[in-house]
Amino acid sequence: MSLARSAWRVVSVGRSGAVAGVHGHGAIRFAAVAAILGQSPRNRPLLGGQAVHPARHFVTTTEAELRAPIEDSTTCSTDPMGPKLLAPERAQLGDVVMLRDMKSGKRTLVGPLTEDGAIKSHAGVIAHRAIIGKGARAQILTHKSHGFMLHFPTLEDYVLFAPRTATPIYPKDAHAVMQLLDLSPDHHIVEAGTGTGSLTLHLARVVSGGSGGRILSIDLRATHTTHAENFVSRFRRGRYRDAVDFVTGDLGEVLAARYTSTSRVVDGVVLDLLNPWAYLEAVSRVVKPDGAIVVYVPNITQGIKLLDEIRVHRLPLVFDKALEVTQREWDLRPVKIKWPEMKAGGAAEDAAADVGASDADGDVGAAVLEPKAGGLSESEGDAADATRSASVDSSASGEVVPNAIATVAPAAPRTGLPTSVDWICRPVNYATGHTAFLLKLKCIAWGEA
Ligand SMILES: C[S@@+](CC[C@H](N)C(=O)[O-])C[C@H]1O[C@@H](n2cnc3c(N)ncnc32)[C@H](O)[C@@H]1O
């Protein structure tokens, strides 16, 4: 029996032991699984020219899952460019995954997935087994039938939502660090302290492409080293782990033990520890001439202390730049307007209809504006704030941001869809701005200072 790939989009094994394929025309066909898996590989049916393979072509499923949005697990593995270095196709034992509450949008990291693990949420329990075998955007139900959507965490999610042993360098700062280092895949970088492993993972992802780059990550505390090692190993099935040498010890002592005083082989150093000025001389002995030392300091006073250390001790370092990395995230949401006097040109009902479509996907939460005795609805405070004034105060900077509500007209609306929709657009009400300062120093030759 040959199953043409064009005709079959998903093939899976149900708990009942039935093999199900979703036919291109929508019909569902069943065959006995034993008849297929009991065959030697040579006699198994063909799928896209290959013998059907239990691990590759089948996932455990329930009937409800067959009704869920179709996921084609074959699209990634048949990519002519080779295996994708992105998220895994399907969750498996040991993975850390992200579950997004389809009602509130709240996200939670789950894992590593185990045979008998489970996660308890406000809306019920999900056994890890219910996640294993599922692909991205699959719907996972709690025992109370509350829906979560499965995602494979991005590096940003992974860092922001993971439990912490130290204060991590946040993704926005990690990216600025890489920019200041001018990081490239063949670089040899020294990092101290390792802390949670957040920055380590960002650095490792760049140098792990097989171009010979390496990260030496040093921390005084063995517990931090172990935690960070696990943290790096569990992301994307450990694909960046081999690029890192984790070492427990004092930065100065490790550098003295690893490098001779004349071997300036390190392309760059990142310092995120309590007293970075105490280690400037040690690092300036190992960094290549013109190589960068990036120092993370919580306030600018410490930045000055760092530069004064260089001046007083005539260290072979020069100040290059200081960076404060601010990032302002914006909230963009379609808004439902539920009473006539607030309608903009009769667009409200249309808007509500369109928003409803977004809700079904579980992706976009709509703000609802509706009247209430004596004022606007308390529960809809977000949207209400935005409409009360024509401008809102961005709490991070005190800067006034105009046009909290905007109406847009799509250039070519699909038949039956509204010609205009009202949108809330304003900065989010939680701080994503300042965290610290990054100082970049450059190494020069000894005696040049
Ligand atoms: C703020 S945390 C680093 C956070 C890390 N950058 C991250 O992304 O998670 C500071 C770390 O420096 C380590 N540390 C302090 N003094 C050190 C030293 N002399 N040598 C090596 N590590 C040190 C601490 O144990 C701590 O884990």
Side-chain angles (χ1 to χ4, degrees):
M1 174 170 59
S2 172
L3 312 176
R5 173 164 280 158
S6 59
W8 292 75
R9 294 178 63 198
V10 172
V11 175
S12 49
V13 180
R15 291 218 172 87
S16 60
V19 173
V22 179
H23 194 265
H25 302 295
I28 297 178
R29 292 180 182 174
F30 292 90
V33 63
I36 291 178
L37 300 185
Q39 303 282 339
S40 76
R42 238 167 4 115
N43 295 332
R44 282 183 194 149
L46 299 177
L47 178 64
Q50 283 185 319
V52 166
H53 187 281
R56 206 177 311 123
H57 292 131
F58 298 148
V59 290
T60 312
T61 188
T62 59
E63 250 187 82
E65 197 180 314
L66 284 173
R67 288 195 296 272
I70 293 167
E71 303 145 21
D72 187 346
S73 64
T74 61
T75 47
C76 282
S77 53
T78 54
D79 187 329
M81 300 299 285
K84 286 234 171 27
L85 285 178
L86 297 171
E89 289 173 39
R90 291 191 178 271
Q92 66 182 38
L93 280 175
D95 281 351
V96 175
V97 299
M98 172 75 82
L99 290 185
R100 185 164 58 85
D101 188 319
M102 290 175 74
K103 200 162 178 198
S104 68
K106 194 168 168 262
R107 289 172 288 168
T108 314
L109 271 191
V110 178
L113 299 177
T114 57
E115 283 282 7
D116 44 15
I119 173 170
K120 287 186 190 132
S121 80
H122 62 285
V125 179
I126 296 174
H128 288 186
R129 278 193 316 276
I131 302 171
I132 291 166
K134 301 279 173 52
R137 302 191 73 81
Q139 186 183 336
I140 314 283
L141 298 178
T142 66
H143 77 288
K144 293 180 182 168
S145 297
H146 185 88
F148 284 81
M149 191 173 271
L150 174 66
H151 300 273
F152 295 102
T154 63
L155 182 48
E156 182 186 20
D157 293 333
Y158 189 66
V159 165
L160 292 181
F161 289 89
R164 289 161 192 183
T165 47
T167 307
I169 286 192
Y170 289 103
K172 72 180 178 67
D173 294 315
H175 284 274
V177 166
M178 295 192 285
Q179 172 194 333
L180 294 175
L181 287 173
D182 195 23
L183 188 62
S184 78
D186 58 347
H187 271 175
H188 175 27
I189 302 291
V190 172
E191 176 207 21
T194 309
T196 62
S198 157
L199 180 66
T200 319
L201 196 45
H202 281 86
L203 300 172
R205 187 152 84 159
V206 174
V207 305
S208 64
S211 303
R214 292 213 66 73
I215 309 298
L216 172 61
S217 188
I218 306 165
D219 203 292
L220 205 50
R221 296 173 60 176
T223 48
H224 286 185
T225 307
T226 308
H227 174 92
E229 213 170 333
N230 288 333
F231 183 74
V232 172
S233 302
R234 285 174 186 154
F235 184 68
R236 302 274 159 88
R237 299 178 187 162
R239 97 177 5 138
Y240 308 116
R241 169 64 188 87
D242 285 350
V244 187
D245 295 316
F246 287 101
V247 176
T248 300
D250 169 70
L251 169 63
E253 289 171 15
V254 174
L255 291 181
R258 287 225 164 193
Y259 306 100
T260 67
S261 58
T262 51
S263 62
R264 297 180 69 179
V265 293
V266 173
D267 294 286
V269 170
V270 191
L271 300 180
D272 177 17
L273 35 74
L274 216 52
N275 51 346
W277 38 85
Y279 299 94
L280 288 178
E281 176 171 352
V283 295
S284 63
R285 291 189 183 280
V286 302
V287 176
K288 290 176 181 173
D290 222 27
I293 298 171
V294 179
V295 189
Y296 183 96
V297 286
N299 55 58
I300 209 64
T301 313
Q302 290 198 359
I304 300 293
K305 184 168 168 55
L306 200 74
L307 298 186
D308 209 46
E309 188 80 8
I310 297 171
R311 182 187 66 81
V312 169
H313 297 286
R314 301 191 61 136
L315 297 175
L317 298 167
V318 288
F319 170 67
D320 190 82
K321 66 168 73 166
L323 214 62
E324 180 189 13
V325 185
T326 56
Q327 208 175 57
R328 180 191 281 170
E329 192 174 329
W330 278 64
D331 186 14
L332 302 175
R333 273 185 291 164
V335 61
K336 290 175 182 173
I337 299 175
K338 283 207 169 163
W339 66 104
E341 60 271 31
M342 285 213 60
K343 282 187 187 179
E349 273 137 13
D350 290 345
D354 204 24
V355 165
S358 302
D359 279 350
D361 188 44
D363 266 339
V364 181
V368 181
L369 304 182
E370 53 188 339
K372 205 180 177 187
L376 298 169
S377 160
E378 189 66 36
S379 61
E380 315 300 346
D382 269 8
D385 285 351
T387 51
R388 241 178 251 141
S389 55
S391 59
V392 288
D393 187 1
S394 160
S395 53
S397 62
E399 189 187 328
V400 170
V401 182
N403 301 325
I405 289 235
T407 302
V408 289
R414 277 179 287 155
T415 321
L417 285 184
T419 51
S420 69
V421 179
D422 292 317
W423 289 78
I424 283 186
C425 45
R426 59 176 182 170
V428 296
N429 58 6
Y430 51 87
T432 53
H434 171 81
T435 40
F437 293 93
L438 294 169
L439 263 72
K440 176 176 175 178
L441 314 170
K442 277 197 151 196
C443 255
I444 56 177
W446 278 89
E448 211 185 302

